[in-house]
Amino acid sequence: MANTITGRILLIGEVENIPYQDKILRKREVVLDCSRFDTMTGEKKENYPKFEFTGKHVDDLNNYQAGQFVTVSFLLSGRKVEKEGKTTYFTNITAYKIEPYQRYNNGAQQAQPSQPYTPQPVVQNHQPQTTAPQPTPFPPDIDEQGNPAKDDLPF
């Protein structure tokens, strides 16, 4: 199962060239705004993950700009470093694919415009009920012969 996340591009970093052994490692970062709004309270739950694109995937970001909605596929990995008797853990989020956000509607895939989205808080519209339902009288009304006055039974 692939790890993917959808959000709006907040910023795209510059290409960094990092010397590593006898090679140059190319790296570029992108930050997404994946914030959500609580449907009950309208409160914003902030979420701004940063992804690293490396090697041949650095140029994949050239066709994107801040404000676009995208889906990023990534690998989550961690490593342990022991130094001077102390253990430190590092987590890397390495992206390997970025594509425009696609929304599926009725089984057909439709591209969504990359316009900024401004969610609005949910407002509950509770209106008091002005009239209560009228109960059916019991016992039911009867005529002079003791039969129900409005009998709709077929027998």
Side-chain angles (χ1 to χ4, degrees):
M1 176 186 222
N3 294 312
T4 60
I5 192 167
T6 298
R8 184 172 44 94
I9 297 175
L10 193 60
L11 65 93
I12 299 174
E14 296 296 322
V15 176
E16 295 179 45
N17 294 314
I18 302 166
Y20 178 73
Q21 295 176 352
D22 59 344
K23 300 177 183 177
I24 300 292
L25 173 69
R26 295 176 67 215
K27 176 176 104 168
R28 194 170 186 187
E29 297 176 337
V30 64
V31 177
L32 297 185
D33 180 354
C34 301
S35 300
R36 302 279 187 246
F37 287 82
D38 185 298
T39 56
M40 299 302 282
T41 65
E43 179 182 349
K44 184 177 183 179
K45 304 291 184 184
E46 293 184 346
N47 185 14
Y48 303 104
K50 178 175 68 171
F51 300 89
E52 277 186 0
F53 283 81
T54 59
K56 65 181 181 179
H57 298 291
V58 167
D59 295 328
D60 294 351
L61 294 171
N62 291 343
N63 298 322
Y64 295 93
Q65 59 189 357
Q68 286 184 284
F69 282 93
V70 294
T71 298
V72 174
S73 300
F74 62 94
L75 298 171
L76 184 63
S77 61
R79 60 190 163 101
K80 176 171 80 169
V81 176
E82 294 181 8
K83 187 175 181 181
E84 299 175 8
K86 195 172 189 178
T87 304
T88 306
Y89 297 91
F90 294 94
T91 302
N92 293 350
I93 306 173
T94 306
Y96 60 88
K97 182 178 176 184
I98 185 169
E99 56 192 350
Y101 171 65
Q102 299 287 315
R103 182 175 182 179
Y104 293 90
N105 189 7
N106 296 331
Q109 193 173 11
Q110 296 178 341
Q112 293 298 307
S114 296
Q115 299 171 356
Y117 171 67
T118 307
Q120 300 297 319
V122 175
V123 177
Q124 301 287 339
N125 188 7
H126 295 290
Q127 296 179 353
Q129 196 171 19
T130 56
T131 58
Q134 299 300 317
T136 306
F138 186 82
D141 295 333
I142 55 172
D143 62 12
E144 297 85 32
Q145 285 101 19
N147 296 323
K150 295 181 182 177
D151 186 7
D152 58 350
L153 296 176
F155 49 88

